């Protein structure tokens, strides 16, 4: 057993009695109430999920295993010739809650390296897909096609697998999958946009460095990849992608089904696709103004025109956050350091100034501040990744690290099938005292 798996076994076994005790002795304790607004309104704020991997405070933003983004960036082991932590170390941290040593990072890197080869049939499937397939469809299909590899399914079907051990083959599926998805993403990119000129992986390089190499983008894109995957990894469990992954896995569907489903949830314009939408929206302004940086007044007019046409301003607002997303701020800091004079960053910077007061004046959005998606595309664009319908695939690679870690723990703690109750409209009317 690898050191990480052994550590995880110990942690899960130590943690399990806490969950068991809560369910056995305190099942009837109320932690929340639900009103009609929440039932019709997408279960907003209903406390009905549990995860110890990240927590999202509406005003502070995300904490991964108790640490803010700046703390994670400061504490985790960094690549010697870069500014960002290893994704491998970050995954160790998500799984265990411990800051990894250099040896821990090395072990995860070795695990990924020995599992990185993408089966040939996946390559054939991707090549056979219509050229205008969205990269998210290709990514999700590639993941789903590998379901036949599932160790969980093999062990479950053997009839020998005990419930307390469900997490073990899930862990194997998780590592197998995470090791392959950066290569699958890069393959899709090169196939679709670079005349199928595929670049071989460098299994000796860390995950971020290898990804940059396979994408064919020079330094510091390796650091951009590390930053991007870490920031997008987890945002507690209620967001559409994480929740979908958890929900599908709760039926004991394996990780290939769950992560493919997670990807499909992420592909919506109100969620991960917003980063693509931000860039296409910014380019509308860019083209209209012939590339010149708009004045504040011109930008305000563009924002109002978008709102008046009934569209949302992509990259702004959030279902939980009530302040500027710290993931936005981390990327903004990166931009201020590495691309302060980039014209598109100037657009984004201007939007940061003009959009919140306009959304406040319009009075609909509960949170007028920017989210992660408002800032991420501009960095990709700057480093030459200009095909913005690919951006959500990058988000999905990152999100998979968080969702895999969560599902391994779900299985370790024996969380059951998810099955909320629905009611009819007539029942709600009756509860509201509406007379027919
Ligand atoms: N532009 C215009 N209107 C907005 C808005 C925005 N950026 N954000 C919210 N609103 C509107 C909503 O559409 C809603 O309008 P209606 O009452 O007419 O339906 C109203 O304000 C209230 O919405 P809310 O409670 O503030 O927001 P929700 O929790 O319903 O939705 C979100 C959250 C993110 C979907 C929404 O803010 C939005 O559509 N933002 C733009 C898309 C975006 O950036 N998504 C990415 C989020 C981060 C991620 O998951 O990747």
């Amino acid at each position: 057993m690898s050191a990480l798996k052994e550590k995880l076994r110990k942690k899960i076994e130590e943690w399990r009695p806490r969950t068991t005790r809560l369910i056995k002795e305190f099942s009837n304790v109320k932690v929340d109430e639900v009103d009609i607004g929440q039932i019709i309104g997408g279960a907003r704020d209903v406390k009905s999920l549990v995860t110890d991997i990240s927590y999202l405070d509406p005003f502070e933003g995300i904490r991964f295993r108790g640490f803010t983004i700046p703390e994670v960036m400061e504490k985790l082991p960094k690549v010697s010739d870069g500014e960002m932590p290893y994704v491998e170390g970050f995954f160790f941290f998500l799984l265990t809650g411990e800051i990894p040593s250099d040896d821990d990072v090395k072990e995860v890197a070795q695990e990924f390296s020995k599992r990185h080869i993408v089966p040939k049939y996946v390559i054939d499937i991707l090549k056979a897909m219509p050229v205008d397939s969205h990269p998210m469809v290709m990514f999700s299909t590639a993941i789903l096609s590998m379901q036949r590899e599932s160790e969980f399914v093999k062990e479950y079907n053997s009839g020998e697998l005990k419930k307390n051990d469900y997490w073990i083959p899930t862990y194997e599926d998780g590592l197998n999958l995470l090791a392959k998805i950066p290569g699958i993403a890069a393959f899709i990119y090169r196939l679709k946009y670079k005349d199928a000129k595929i670049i071989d992986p460098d299994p000796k390089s860390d995950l971020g460095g290898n990804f940059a190499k396979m994408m064919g983008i020079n330094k510091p894109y390796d650091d951009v990849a590390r930053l991007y995957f870490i920031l997008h990894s987890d945002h507690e469990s209620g967001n559409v992608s994480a929740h979908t992954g958890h929900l599908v896995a709760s039926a004991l569907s394996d990780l290939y089904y769950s992560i493919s489903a997670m990807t499909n949830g992420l592909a919506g314009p109100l969620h991960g696709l917003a980063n693509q939408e931000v860039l296409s929206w910014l380019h509308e302004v860019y083209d209209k103004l012939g590339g010149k940086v708009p004045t504040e007044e011109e930008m305000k007019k563009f924002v109002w025109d978008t709102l008046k046409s009934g569209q949302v301003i992509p990259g702004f607002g959030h279902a939980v956050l009530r302040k500027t997303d710290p993931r936005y701020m981390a990327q903004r800091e990166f931009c201020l350091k590495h691309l302060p004079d980039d014209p598109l960053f100037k657009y984004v910077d201007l939007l940061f100034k003009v959009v919140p007061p306009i959304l406040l004046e319009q009075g609909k959005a509960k949170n007028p501040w920017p989210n992660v998606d408002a800032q991420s595309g501009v960095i990709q664009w700057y480093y030459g990744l200009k095909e913005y319908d690919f951006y959500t695939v990058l988000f999905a690679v990152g999100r998979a690290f968080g969702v895999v870690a969560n599902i391994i723990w779900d299985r370790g703690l024996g969380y059951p099938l998810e099955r909320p109750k629905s009611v009819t409209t007539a029942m709600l009317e009756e509860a509201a005292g509406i007379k027919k």
Side-chain angles (χ1 to χ4, degrees):
M1 201 182 257
S2 74
L4 170 59
K5 201 164 162 186
E6 181 53 30
K7 187 181 277 293
L8 201 50
R9 187 189 61 75
K10 215 165 153 265
K11 284 193 176 279
I12 287 172
E13 283 174 9
E14 278 167 11
W15 198 282
R16 201 178 280 139
R18 292 174 67 182
T19 306
T20 313
R21 180 163 186 231
L22 284 170
I23 196 95
K24 281 208 169 131
E25 296 177 35
F26 301 100
S27 255
N28 294 331
V29 174
K30 296 231 177 327
V31 284
D32 211 351
E33 291 180 335
V34 63
D35 60 29
I36 289 177
Q38 291 170 312
I39 293 173
I40 297 179
R44 218 47 110 258
D45 292 333
V46 178
K47 295 190 186 84
S48 59
L49 292 162
V50 51
T51 173
D52 297 288
I53 290 179
S54 67
Y55 180 76
L56 180 61
D57 179 88
F59 296 97
E60 187 188 50
I62 194 70
R63 275 182 184 261
F64 300 113
R65 289 285 188 183
F67 290 130
T68 62
I69 290 169
E71 285 165 352
V72 166
M73 295 301 172
E74 188 222 311
K75 287 180 197 299
L76 263 65
K78 292 189 188 57
V79 182
S80 56
D81 58 348
E83 295 168 31
M84 298 297 161
Y86 287 100
V87 179
E88 291 88 336
F90 180 72
F91 181 60
F92 177 101
F93 167 68
L94 287 185
L95 275 179
T96 65
E98 288 181 18
I99 302 292
S101 65
D102 291 343
D103 282 348
D104 294 330
V105 174
K106 210 180 279 169
E107 195 202 44
V108 179
Q110 280 165 355
E111 287 287 336
F112 284 157
S113 170
K114 73 180 187 217
R115 300 163 191 252
H116 81 278
I117 293 174
V118 177
K120 182 170 175 303
Y121 63 81
V122 178
I123 304 297
D124 293 341
I125 289 167
L126 290 172
K127 283 184 177 165
M129 290 182 79
V131 286
D132 60 352
S133 299
H134 193 282
M136 283 295 271
V137 175
M138 298 173 83
F139 190 64
S140 176
T141 304
I143 292 171
L144 193 58
S145 74
M146 292 190 291
Q147 188 277 334
R148 61 194 288 283
E149 313 286 338
S150 173
E151 294 297 320
F152 176 79
V153 169
K154 278 178 214 149
E155 293 204 24
Y156 187 80
N157 289 345
S158 76
E160 313 259 297
L161 187 63
K162 304 225 170 13
K163 191 173 176 194
N164 276 352
D165 292 337
Y166 283 178
W167 72 270
I168 298 173
T170 303
Y171 168 95
E172 294 299 332
D173 283 351
L175 264 75
N176 285 336
L177 185 56
L178 293 175
K180 292 176 181 60
I181 55 174
I184 292 173
F187 182 85
I188 292 169
Y189 179 71
R190 303 285 312 177
L191 176 72
K192 208 169 155 57
Y193 308 108
K194 300 290 165 192
D195 301 324
K197 291 191 179 115
I198 308 303
I199 302 173
D200 285 337
D202 171 11
K204 282 200 238 48
S205 181
D206 75 298
L207 193 142
N210 191 22
F211 183 69
K213 178 181 180 282
M214 290 186 289
M215 291 291 288
I217 310 180
N218 293 335
K219 271 182 176 303
Y221 191 73
D222 52 343
D223 252 353
V224 171
R226 294 179 194 109
L227 173 71
Y228 207 89
F229 295 154
I230 289 172
L231 290 183
H232 289 82
S233 62
D234 209 37
H235 220 221
E236 66 172 43
S237 295
N239 65 79
V240 170
S241 52
H243 189 195
T244 306
H246 165 82
L247 173 69
V248 172
S250 84
L252 293 187
S253 301
D254 60 64
L255 269 178
Y256 296 90
Y257 282 122
S258 311
I259 299 300
S260 173
M262 171 213 94
T263 302
N264 301 342
L266 192 67
L270 296 187
H271 192 16
L273 202 80
N275 60 9
Q276 163 181 335
E277 304 277 288
V278 170
L279 257 274
S280 80
W281 184 69
L282 280 178
H283 273 94
E284 258 181 65
V285 202
Y286 196 84
D287 292 345
K288 254 187 203 162
L289 299 176
K292 98 172 171 61
V293 179
T295 62
E296 226 173 287
E297 287 315 306
E298 283 168 330
M299 194 56 121
K300 280 184 187 164
K301 181 175 175 330
F302 190 72
V303 172
W304 273 116
D305 287 350
T306 303
L307 287 174
K308 282 177 191 154
S309 73
Q311 291 167 267
V312 296
I313 308 298
F316 284 77
H318 200 271
V320 177
L321 280 167
R322 294 295 176 258
K323 65 157 243 183
T324 298
D325 190 338
R327 300 172 299 174
Y328 175 95
M329 290 311 281
Q331 295 185 99
R332 181 179 158 79
E333 265 174 44
F334 185 93
C335 291
L336 287 168
K337 182 164 179 194
H338 294 276
L339 45 132
D341 300 322
D342 177 63
L344 220 49
F345 174 59
K346 291 209 154 70
Y347 276 51
V348 170
D349 205 28
L350 192 53
L351 285 174
F352 191 24
K353 197 166 171 199
V354 306
V355 172
I358 291 178
L359 286 179
L360 281 173
E361 189 182 331
Q362 192 211 27
K364 278 169 65 171
K366 293 192 189 70
N367 175 40
W369 303 106
N371 62 58
V372 66
D373 296 318
Q375 187 68 253
S376 49
V378 71
I379 304 181
Q380 300 296 335
W381 181 272
Y382 180 78
Y383 288 106
L385 208 165
K386 298 194 189 296
E387 300 83 1
Y388 39 80
D389 56 356
F390 186 74
Y391 292 175
T392 315
V393 174
L394 300 170
F395 194 152
V397 173
R399 181 53 49 99
F401 283 86
V403 175
V404 165
N406 270 284
I407 293 173
I408 293 170
W409 271 92
D410 290 350
R411 296 266 162 95
L413 299 177
Y415 292 156
L417 179 82
E418 195 180 310
R419 191 13 175 133
K421 180 81 186 84
S422 43
V423 289
T424 64
T425 306
M427 287 172 186
L428 292 182
E429 286 167 341
E430 197 186 323
I434 297 172
K435 296 216 170 65
K436 299 244 173 73

